[in-house]
């Protein structure tokens, strides 16, 4: 029979991944905001391209080649940004898994296992609440920082809804209107990033304080954060 895993082992990995998770949040927000800003610089070519697409959809028998006269720098910047966003998402998932593992080792009740909490991001429909529950349950019931996780998730859902609205009006409204709606989504992403950054820190501080309640610093000398004392 396997021995239960020590929370100190899980926290050691969480400790190493926490700065990366915070950095990933900042990178993700930066990519969304920068992409939203530079899209205005190529509004003209985008308008021309989407006009061609709308024309072909309205005239199914038309066989013309779509031409997107987008600057090379725009393609390069957006492509590189997407790669950074994917890499940041992976780093965030690594942190989430180990934070959830630490919470499970500490005996915190959880709706989802660490693995299912990560996998829940990729399950259609379930990804509307599985990841939220997994991150929320990294904190003990009643912890005030759970509200940060809730705010993070609500703003994330809002940003996704606004993104879908922008995509929907793309085929019936001028490109500038789509970009303006997209900027609203970028603002929602910015707020999501703020609450995500705070949530990662609150979860880490809670785990650190529970495992090292009488230490002025954690194992590598970082100041101890506020959190509930162990029973």
């Amino acid at each position: 029979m396997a021995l239960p895993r020590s929370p100190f082992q899980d926290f050691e990995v969480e400790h190493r991944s926490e700065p990366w998770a915070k950095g990933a949040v900042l990178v993700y927000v930066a990519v969304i905001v920068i992409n939203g800003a530079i899209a205005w610089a190529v509004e003209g070519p985008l308008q021309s391209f989407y006009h061609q697409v709308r024309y072909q959809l309205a005239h199914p028998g038309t066989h013309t080649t779509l031409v997107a006269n987008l600057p090379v720098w725009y393609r390069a910047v957006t492509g590189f940004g997407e790669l950074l966003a994917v890499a940041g998402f992976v780093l965030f998932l690594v942190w989430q898994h180990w934070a959830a593992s630490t919470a499970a080792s500490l005996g915190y009740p959880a709706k989802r296992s660490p693995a299912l909490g990560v996998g829940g991001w990729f399950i259609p429909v379930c990804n509307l609440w599985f990841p939220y529950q997994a991150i929320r349950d990294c904190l003990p019931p009643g912890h005030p920082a759970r509200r940060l996780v809730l705010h993070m998730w609500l703003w994330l859902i809002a940003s996704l809804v606004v993104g879908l609205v922008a995509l929907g009006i793309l085929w019936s409204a001028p490109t500038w209107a789509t970009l303006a709606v997209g900027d609203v989504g970028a603002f929602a992403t910015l707020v999501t990033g703020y609450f995500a950054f705070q949530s990662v820190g609150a979860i880490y501080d809670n785990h650190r304080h529970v495992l090292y309640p009488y230490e002025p610093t954690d194992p590598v000398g970082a100041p101890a954060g506020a959190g509930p004392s162990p029973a």
Side-chain angles (χ1 to χ4, degrees), residues 56 69 82 90 92 94 100 112 133 142 144 148 151-152 159 174 222 225 227:
Q56 289 201 2
N69 294 316
E82 289 171 2
V90 171
F92 186 85
V94 170
R112 314 294 165 204
Q133 291 177 326
L148 293 174
H151 293 325
M152 175 199 75
S159 69

Side-chain angles (χ1 to χ4, degrees), residues 75-226:
R75 298 173 183 270
V77 171
T78 54
F80 181 66
E82 289 171 2
L83 289 176
L84 284 179
V86 170
F89 183 55
V90 171
L91 290 173
F92 186 85
L93 292 182
V94 170
W95 164 82
Q96 178 187 319
H97 178 272
W98 288 109
S101 297
T102 302
S105 299
L106 291 171
Y108 293 175
K111 293 284 188 181
R112 314 294 165 204
S113 68
L116 184 56
V118 171
W121 286 93
F122 307 98
I123 303 175
V125 181
C126 293
N127 55 12
L128 294 176
W129 72 89
F130 273 27
Y132 159 68
Q133 291 177 326
I135 299 173
R136 176 202 64 189
D137 292 341
C138 290
L139 293 163
H143 195 285
R146 281 187 163 212
R147 290 195 298 270
L148 293 174
V149 181
L150 176 60
H151 293 325
M152 175 199 75
W153 196 252
L154 292 178
W155 278 98
L156 176 61
I157 296 298
S159 69
L160 295 176
V161 170
V162 173
L164 290 176
V165 171
L167 184 63
I169 69 173
L170 179 64
W171 312 113
S172 58
T175 303
W176 66 262
T178 301
L179 296 180
V181 174
D183 286 346
V184 175
F187 173 77
T189 300
L190 184 63
V191 180
T192 300
Y194 168 78
F195 283 115
F197 192 91
Q198 296 296 321
S199 297
V200 171
I203 290 169
Y204 175 77
D205 285 345
N206 171 260
H207 295 173
R208 179 175 59 189
H209 193 73
V210 170
L211 292 171
Y212 302 95
Y214 308 114
E215 296 283 344
T217 60
D218 71 6
V220 295

Side-chain angles (χ1 to χ4, degrees), residues 31-110:
V31 167
I32 296 298
V33 172
I34 292 173
N35 282 353
I38 65 175
W40 285 99
V42 293
E43 189 267 342
L46 285 175
Q47 173 70 23
S48 174
F49 175 74
Y50 292 127
H51 174 74
Q52 297 173 61
V53 174
R54 286 192 291 266
Y55 182 84
Q56 289 201 2
L57 291 176
H59 303 81
T62 302
H63 299 288
T64 57
T65 302
L66 294 174
V67 178
N69 294 316
L70 296 173
V72 175
W73 66 263
Y74 176 79
R75 298 173 183 270
V77 171
T78 54
F80 181 66
E82 289 171 2
L83 289 176
L84 284 179
V86 170
F89 183 55
V90 171
L91 290 173
F92 186 85
L93 292 182
V94 170
W95 164 82
Q96 178 187 319
H97 178 272
W98 288 109
S101 297
T102 302
S105 299
L106 291 171
Y108 293 175

